[in-house]
Amino acid sequence: MDNTETPPADMCSLREVLDLVGDKWAIRVLVQLGGGPRRFSELERALDGVSRRMLSLTLRGLERNGLVTRKVYPEVPPRVEYTMTAHAAELDEPLHALSAWAAKHREKVGAARRAYDA
Amino acid sequence: MDNTETPPADMCSLREVLDLVGDKWAIRVLVQLGGGPRRFSELERALDGVSRRMLSLTLRGLERNGLVTRKVYPEVPPRVEYTMTAHAAELDEPLHALSAWAAKHREKVGAARRAYDA
DNA sequence: CTGGATCCCAAGAGATACTG
DNA sequence: CAGTATCTCTTGGGATCCAG
C-alpha cells in the first residue's frame, strides 16, 4: 500500500460540531461568553445586528447542547446571565486554529476570488 | 488588570472560515479530496445524499475561493478531476482538532440534550 | 429586562429535465 | 460524463407585537 491518504478526518464529528456552532450567531455568542458571563441585553448590544429572536434561539440551542448555562436571578427587573460551560471553553483552541488558518490564507483566498470572478 | 479573559478569538477570521466551508457539503468534499484527486461522479457517489446541483455549486464555491482546482481532460467521454490546493490541505489539522473535540464531548452533548428535552 | 408568538420574505436545497 | 436550468418546497432569519 503506497497510498498517501491522510487519516480520514472524522466526518461524523465534524458535522456534529458544525451542527452545534455552525449557524450564524453561535460562535459569536461563545466568543463573548469567553470573556465571562453576560446578560441577554449585553449580548444583544455586543453582537451587532442580531435580532432578539435569533439571540434567543441561539442561546436556547447552546443551552440545549450543554455549551451554555442559563442562570435567572429572581429580581425585578429580571436579570439573566449566560455562562460558557467547561467543555464549551475547550472549543477555544480548535477555534483559534481555524482562525489562524483564515488569517494566514486570507490574501490567497481573496486573490483566488478576484481571479475567478474575472 | 486581573481579568481572566481569553485572548479574543478572531471573530472576523472565524466567520471567514465558516463562509468558506460552513455549508452542508464543503467539508465533506474536502475530506474526500484529502484522499487524493476525485472525479465528479466519484464525489457524487462518495457523498451520500448529495444532489448533482449541490455538488456542482459546492465545487464552484471551493474553486472560487482557491480551495480546489478543477482539471478538465479533453477526452471523450469527458473527465474532470478535482484536487485540493496546498492551503486547503492545511485546514486538515484545525479540522481534526474540532473533530477531536466533538468525539471527546459527544456523550456530554447527548446527555445535555436528553436532559433539556425532558 | 427577558423573551415568546406571529407574519413574511429571502436564501437553501431537492427533483427533474436538458445539453456539450 | 459532467454539468446547467427551472421549479418548487423547506428553512433561516428579520420585524413587530405581546407577556411574565
Side-chain angles (χ1 to χ4, degrees), chain B residues 17-93:
Chain B
V17 178
L18 288 187
D19 287 345
L20 257 39
V21 300
D23 56 76
K24 193 171 178 183
W25 300 102
I27 285 190
R28 306 187 191 192
V29 168
L30 290 182
V31 168
Q32 288 298 318
L33 295 186
R38 294 281 186 274
R39 302 181 54 166
F40 188 89
S41 51
E42 288 178 318
L43 291 171
E44 196 178 358
R45 273 189 299 276
L47 278 58
D48 196 58
V50 73
S51 65
R52 261 195 192 72
R53 180 185 122 92
M54 287 315 297
L55 179 54
S56 182
L57 288 180
T58 300
L59 287 168
R60 286 305 146 265
L62 292 172
E63 189 190 0
R64 181 169 115 95
N65 292 309
L67 298 183
V68 155
T69 57
R70 180 170 178 271
K71 165 112 186 179
V72 182
Y73 294 85
E75 309 170 355
V76 36
R79 181 161 62 103
V80 179
E81 273 188 1
Y82 293 90
T83 311
M84 263 181 125
T85 61
H87 56 287
E90 289 180 41
L91 258 177
D92 193 54
E93 275 199 32

Side-chain angles (χ1 to χ4, degrees), chain A residues 77-90:
Chain A
R79 181 162 62 102
V80 179
E81 272 188 2
Y82 293 91
T83 311
M84 263 182 123
T85 61
H87 56 288
E90 289 180 43

